[in-house]
Amino acid sequence: MNKMIISKRRLIHGIAGMLLTAAVLFFKLNLVYVILIGIFMGLIFGKVFCRWICPMGFIMELMMTGSSDQKHLQLYNYHKLGCPIAWISGLFNKFSIFKVRKDRGKCTNCGICDKNCYISSLNSSYSLHKDGRKNPSIHYSCSKCLACVEKCPAKSLKYSI
Ligand code: SF4
Ligand code: SF4
């Protein structure tokens, strides 16, 4: 996914959240279908629903305030709990087709990705660039915010198959 789309994530999330709310409230879309769609998306993209589609996720993100460290902790905890879609699609983060992947040849080891990732910044066993650490995009709490991909100055990170 290219950086231009990722930089518009909040806008896309807001619009998708409003459309989903309208579909449920005015067109009586059954919530069971919403859950099934969220879970199916999880199989392909991982826990993408929370940060790109869910109206509650959008509101929760707006409510998270404070220093960058405090926000990271709030995001980490919220995306560990969430709702049934978050629980199940979080488990799929390990198996989903799309993941955050690194082009080792381009990485300059600047560390910007880890500073912007609420998983790597809180748990030293995860890193997007250090060898021998686990990829945070397979962590249960990764909500595919793609801040890591967006902030990487070397275009070393991609969210791809
Ligand atoms: S931000 Fe990009 S270049 Fe910098 S350490 Fe992370 S992957 Fe490597
Ligand atoms: S998408 Fe990237 S920055 Fe966001 S939580 Fe997952 S690994 Fe961290």
Side-chain angles (χ1 to χ4, degrees):
M1 190 185 289
N2 83 31
K3 286 192 182 202
M4 223 261 287
I5 297 173
I6 298 170
S7 70
K8 306 272 185 269
R9 181 188 63 78
R10 281 194 176 197
L11 178 66
I12 295 167
H13 192 177
I15 293 169
M18 278 193 291
L19 291 174
L20 181 59
T21 305
V24 171
L25 292 181
F26 303 118
F27 299 101
K28 308 293 176 212
L29 176 65
N30 192 314
L31 279 176
V32 172
Y33 290 123
V34 177
I35 292 172
L36 290 176
I37 291 166
I39 291 171
F40 178 71
M41 289 180 75
L43 271 172
I44 299 169
F45 300 107
K47 197 198 297 228
V48 79
F49 186 84
C50 308
R51 298 296 283 281
W52 290 83
I53 298 171
C54 177
M56 188 53 72
F58 183 76
I59 292 166
M60 291 303 291
E61 192 174 342
L62 288 181
M63 286 170 66
M64 290 176 193
T65 53
S67 66
S68 153
D69 285 352
Q70 285 166 332
K71 273 191 213 159
H72 277 190
L73 192 57
Q74 290 163 1
L75 284 165
Y76 183 84
N77 286 330
Y78 177 67
H79 291 291
K80 256 170 72 181
L81 299 172
C83 70
I85 296 174
W87 303 336
I88 297 170
S89 57
L91 294 174
F92 290 155
N93 273 343
K94 270 199 174 113
F95 313 106
S96 61
I97 299 170
F98 278 74
K99 290 185 177 63
V100 176
R101 300 181 196 276
K102 184 179 78 169
D103 180 339
R104 196 177 286 268
K106 288 184 182 167
C107 178
T108 59
N109 277 313
C110 66
I112 290 172
C113 48
D114 281 353
K115 284 193 191 114
N116 282 280
C117 172
Y118 58 86
I119 296 166
S120 300
S121 65
L122 293 169
N123 187 336
S124 60
S125 56
Y126 287 84
S127 173
L128 287 147
H129 71 101
K130 291 178 189 158
D131 289 334
R133 311 284 171 94
K134 289 180 268 185
N135 179 346
S137 79
I138 64 166
H139 188 281
Y140 178 82
S141 186
C142 171
S143 56
K144 307 296 176 262
C145 62
L146 303 184
C148 49
V149 177
E150 184 188 4
K151 303 291 181 192
C152 173
K155 297 189 179 154
S156 166
L157 297 175
K158 277 195 176 142
Y159 175 57
S160 62
I161 292 175

